[in-house]
Amino acid sequence: MSAAIITHNLTRRFGDKIAVDGLTLEVRVGEVFGFLGHNGAGKTTTVRLLNGVLEPHAGKAYVLGLDPLADGPALRARTGVLTESAALDARLSGRENLLVYADLFGVPQRQSDSRVSELLDFFGLSDSADLKVAAYSTGMRQRLALARTLLHDPELLFLDEPTAGLDPLAARQTHRLIAALARQKGRTVFLCTHNLVEAQRLCDRVGVMERGRLVAVGTPTELAARYVQQVQVEIEIAAEHIEAAIELLSHASGLLTARPQPSADQAPGGPLGALSLRVTGREAIPDMLALLTRHGVRVYRLTPHEPSLEDVYFALHAGAAEPSQQEHTR
Amino acid sequence: MNRRAVSAIARKDLKVVLQNKGVVLPILIAPLVLFGALPWMAALAPNLANVGGMNVNELRELLAHMPEGLRTEMALYTPDQQPIVFFLVYMLAPLFLILPVMTSSVMAADSFAGERERRTLETLLYTPTTDRELFVGKLLAPWLAAMVVSAVGFVLYVVMANAAAGRVMGSLFFPTLMWVVLVVWVAPAAAGFGLATMVLVSVRAQGFQDAYQVGSIVVLPLLLLLFGQISGVMYFSIGAVLLLGLGLWVTDVVLIWAGSRVFRRGRLIARS
Ligand SMILES: Nc1ncnc2c1ncn2[C@@H]1O[C@H](COP(=O)(O)OP(=O)(O)O)[C@@H](O)[C@H]1O
Ligand SMILES: [Mg+2]
């Protein structure tokens, strides 16, 4: 079996508001799946539905081959969920927090102590293990919450905005850890985030949620090819040709904008200048290159920029949020 | 039922709840005041002729209006002993029930409403425990604590009552059989009553303080019992106490059943 999560038409309302709207999705075993969306898009609600802590109003889900509604306890023994707010008992110590959950997750009793110490050690919390969590920093709490999520070595991890509110250093540590879990231990990770850089860095595939609906799924590269038509291209030519090149390209089909860029490079024939172009798609590039060459403009370097998830995300949301602006750029 | 999980939840709640001063202070102070100090005041009352706003003549008059059963029982004692027996055995009996009711309800306010407020409930829901195990674990902590407080309060009262009134009574007169029934049969049910009421109140409460305030209404039925006895409508006979216990146990079953319908993952999350 290669699917860790399968959902079909999963739907959940709160009052007359649809939080998750007909979600059909497949997450493969061993992948890091990014679940992207603004606040209120329905990410947390989906995690709740997939773990059987909230009932759907329509649709089905299978997680690790189990029905979250019917087999909730058996399922939750194999998943680990890092909730949005690292909900720890501030009145207990870090160690006590973990020991309670070792009991709840059925970590074999004789191994509880050592497992807890091992995780505290791994997350750099050994020195503060017996302090009340009330005295912990945000980063420490987040690490303790992650440790708690890993106590029973779950096959499938749900991480709900794991780096929200963390300083950059703590966020990077968290990223490394997620990557290590996925790559070295083959764990499946369902990562809810609105941090696109994080998703780009960590995820094999992403799904984009918008107001409860899944509007796109694929690898970041696939999505970019599908949704981002515009391409950013850097070219380097002799500095003296910059003006002429802009004039030439303005007649080429497919050019959106052309802006001169500072460049310190030197070519055998003199100083180099750079242009930054936005074009309607990759297929416009060869013609432009040919046009420049035909008119004696020698191109020293041409770099199309791979569109990022950020570009995908904004391309997707441009349609919904700002239709008039998209019209304008065409 | 996974016992290890149930006991882990109960132990965790005990540890966490007992760090809230708003919970611990009333639990400590109530038994000390009620059963450490009151016996002395009651025992000294006839000598001072006027404590608690009542002198010996007024007491005679009051007794005359009491149900016949109570008058028969009081007739077994000398006039000196009667006020003491009236206060220590009968009047304080409804007040004793404050211990289990208050302990369990104050603790439940923190472990149910307080836990929601602290947002530590959601992670519990993501564990393999069933709704029922979670519910039982969370009921267990306040109930057991109520049993301990009742037992300690009772022992304290036995010592204090005999010490304060022993000279007049001439022998160890306390506890009476009615009190044994009260402690063994009624107190656990009263604890369940305070607990189950608070579980239901906590569902709608904003947090610990809110639940605590609204939940204080659980002591009202106890005051009714107290006034019922003062006005001579009823008195704490063995039969009445057995019946009171039965009524409370039945109420408990209904309330806890209602609570278990509310304490379901899906509902708890949808309200969070
Ligand atoms: N318990 C709830 N009661 C009422 N509305 C809710 C509840 N949980 C979520 N919602 C609504 O459902 C939508 C999706 O929320 P959520 O899943 O938390 O989004 P996300 O995690 O992507 O920010 C939001 O509009 C939110 O207001
Ligand atoms: Mg969320």
Side-chain angles (χ1 to χ4, degrees):
Chain A
M1 204 201 58
S2 60
I5 302 173
I6 300 176
T7 72
H8 182 72
N9 191 36
L10 202 61
T11 300
R12 171 72 202 204
R13 286 179 294 273
F14 290 105
D16 51 9
K17 174 164 197 129
I18 301 199
V20 175
D21 188 0
L23 177 68
T24 299
L25 179 71
E26 189 174 322
V27 174
R28 298 167 196 154
V29 168
E31 74 177 341
V32 178
F33 186 86
F35 206 49
L36 306 184
H38 293 319
N39 276 335
K43 306 181 296 292
T44 300
T45 305
T46 304
V47 172
R48 291 171 171 173
L49 293 170
L50 293 178
N51 283 277
V53 304
L54 188 67
E55 289 119 29
H57 287 128
K60 273 255 134 205
Y62 288 97
V63 182
L64 301 174
L66 299 170
D67 175 353
L69 264 193
D71 310 312
L75 171 61
R76 290 189 294 271
R78 295 165 60 193
T79 63
V81 181
L82 180 71
T83 52
E84 219 167 337
S85 54
L88 298 149
D89 266 309
R91 299 180 192 165
L92 300 181
S93 72
R95 188 188 307 278
E96 286 169 331
N97 264 284
L98 295 190
L99 284 171
V100 170
Y101 279 79
D103 282 339
L104 295 179
F105 277 109
V107 174
Q109 206 132 27
R110 269 175 294 130
Q111 296 164 24
S112 287
D113 285 329
S114 59
R115 176 78 182 142
V116 165
S117 299
E118 177 189 312
L119 279 165
L120 286 168
D121 197 33
F122 180 81
F123 282 94
L125 293 168
S126 294
D127 291 342
S128 27
D130 298 307
L131 290 181
K132 295 254 153 54
V133 167
Y136 281 28
S137 68
T138 316
M140 288 163 78
R141 284 175 198 227
Q142 191 71 0
R143 278 181 280 153
L144 185 62
L146 254 171
R148 180 176 64 188
T149 310
L150 299 176
L151 266 174
H152 54 302
D153 204 6
E155 293 159 57
L156 171 57
L157 275 171
F158 291 87
L159 307 176
D160 199 352
E161 317 248 359
T163 56
L166 291 190
D167 61 64
L169 193 66
R172 197 169 63 182
Q173 285 177 339
T174 307
H175 288 162
R176 289 214 182 108
L177 183 83
I178 297 170
L181 279 166
R183 309 283 173 260
Q184 290 157 27
K185 304 194 88 185
R187 299 291 177 252
T188 310
V189 180
F190 189 89
L191 174 70
C192 298
T193 182
H194 54 222
N195 180 337
L196 299 164
V197 177
E198 174 172 296
Q200 177 99 48
R201 187 180 303 171
L202 294 172
C203 299
D204 300 308
R205 290 196 312 139
V206 299
V208 181
M209 287 287 276
E210 192 178 292
R211 287 185 220 132
R213 302 188 72 95
L214 186 68
V215 291
V217 197
T219 64
T221 318
E222 278 167 10
L223 291 186
R226 205 177 320 150
Y227 296 101
V228 185
Q229 277 85 33
Q230 297 179 9
V231 178
Q232 187 96 18
V233 183
E234 299 269 333
I235 60 175
E236 261 184 351
I237 53 181
E240 51 178 336
H241 287 146
I242 291 281
E243 300 276 302
I246 292 178
E247 168 61 18
L248 276 172
L249 290 170
S250 69
H251 300 298
S253 70
L255 182 83
L256 294 165
T257 59
R259 273 184 296 117
Q261 297 284 301
S263 167
D265 285 358
Q266 289 282 330
L272 281 180
L275 274 178
S276 169
L277 312 177
R278 271 205 307 142
V279 302
T280 52
R282 273 173 179 265
E283 49 312 323
I285 297 175
D287 284 347
M288 288 184 183
L289 188 57
L291 181 74
L292 291 174
T293 315
R294 205 167 342 119
H295 288 83
V297 179
R298 296 172 45 146
V299 177
Y300 290 87
R301 182 171 69 86
L302 185 150
T303 319
H305 282 283
E306 287 303 326
S308 65
L309 262 183
E310 204 160 351
D311 299 319
V312 172
Y313 197 76
F314 289 121
L316 277 168
H317 284 84
E322 308 155 310
S324 60
Q325 191 181 333
Q326 195 183 28
E327 209 43 51
H328 190 70
T329 48
R330 282 250 158 85
Chain B
M1 190 74 73
N2 175 348
R3 287 207 191 166
R4 185 175 168 208
V6 170
S7 110
I9 292 164
R11 279 179 289 129
K12 173 216 131 207
D13 275 358
L14 275 175
K15 250 190 233 166
V16 168
V17 168
L18 291 180
Q19 288 181 43
N20 181 349
K21 287 200 183 67
V23 169
V24 176
L25 286 181
I27 290 179
L28 283 182
I29 289 171
L32 286 179
V33 170
L34 284 179
F35 300 109
L38 273 185
W40 292 95
M41 291 171 65
L44 296 174
N47 304 340
L48 301 175
N50 192 350
V51 164
M54 189 182 291
N55 62 37
V56 180
N57 289 331
E58 280 170 352
L59 180 68
R60 296 243 158 75
E61 212 165 292
L62 186 68
L63 279 178
H65 294 288
M66 286 291 139
E68 187 166 347
L70 181 55
R71 275 185 284 139
T72 319
E73 286 185 35
M74 294 297 275
L76 299 172
Y77 298 97
T78 68
D80 272 357
Q81 295 172 336
Q82 282 181 5
I84 292 175
V85 171
F86 183 67
F87 276 112
L88 294 192
V89 175
Y90 294 98
M91 285 320 208
L92 251 65
L95 289 182
F96 177 78
L97 294 177
I98 284 183
L99 293 190
V101 167
M102 196 196 61
T103 305
S104 67
S105 63
V106 174
M107 286 194 57
D110 193 272
S111 72
F112 283 85
E115 175 143 79
R116 262 227 338 266
E117 188 176 24
R118 296 189 290 273
R119 309 197 145 276
T120 48
L121 182 62
E122 182 167 4
T123 38
L124 278 180
L125 303 182
Y126 283 115
T127 62
T129 47
T130 62
D131 291 351
R132 184 192 294 207
E133 285 160 0
L134 256 177
F135 191 50
V136 171
K138 294 194 74 68
L139 291 179
L140 217 50
W143 190 79
L144 288 175
M147 291 302 88
V148 170
V149 171
S150 302
V152 170
F154 179 61
V155 170
L156 179 69
Y157 188 44
V158 169
V159 172
M160 287 300 175
N162 284 307
R167 208 174 41 80
V168 182
M169 297 305 295
S171 66
L172 287 183
F173 75 106
F174 196 85
T176 61
L177 181 59
M178 180 272 279
W179 266 81
V180 174
V181 175
L182 189 72
V183 172
V184 174
W185 169 244
V186 186
F193 176 72
L195 175 56
T197 308
M198 193 53 89
V199 169
L200 293 174
V201 166
S202 293
V203 172
R204 294 187 182 277
Q206 300 301 320
F208 168 71
Q209 287 298 343
D210 194 23
Y212 184 37
Q213 274 155 23
V214 177
S216 331
I217 50 155
V218 289
V219 297
L220 279 185
L222 300 182
L223 295 181
L224 280 182
L225 289 174
L226 183 67
F227 291 125
Q229 198 167 231
I230 290 177
S231 61
V233 174
M234 50 76 72
Y235 80 104
F236 271 56
S237 64
I238 290 183
V241 168
L242 282 171
L243 205 65
L244 174 65
L246 186 66
L248 279 172
W249 281 116
V250 171
T251 314
D252 285 358
V253 169
V254 173
L255 291 181
I256 286 177
W257 173 82
S260 75
R261 307 215 12 116
V262 181
F263 199 86
R264 298 235 173 110
R265 278 182 166 71
R267 294 220 191 175
L268 292 169
I269 279 278
R271 290 193 154 274
S272 66

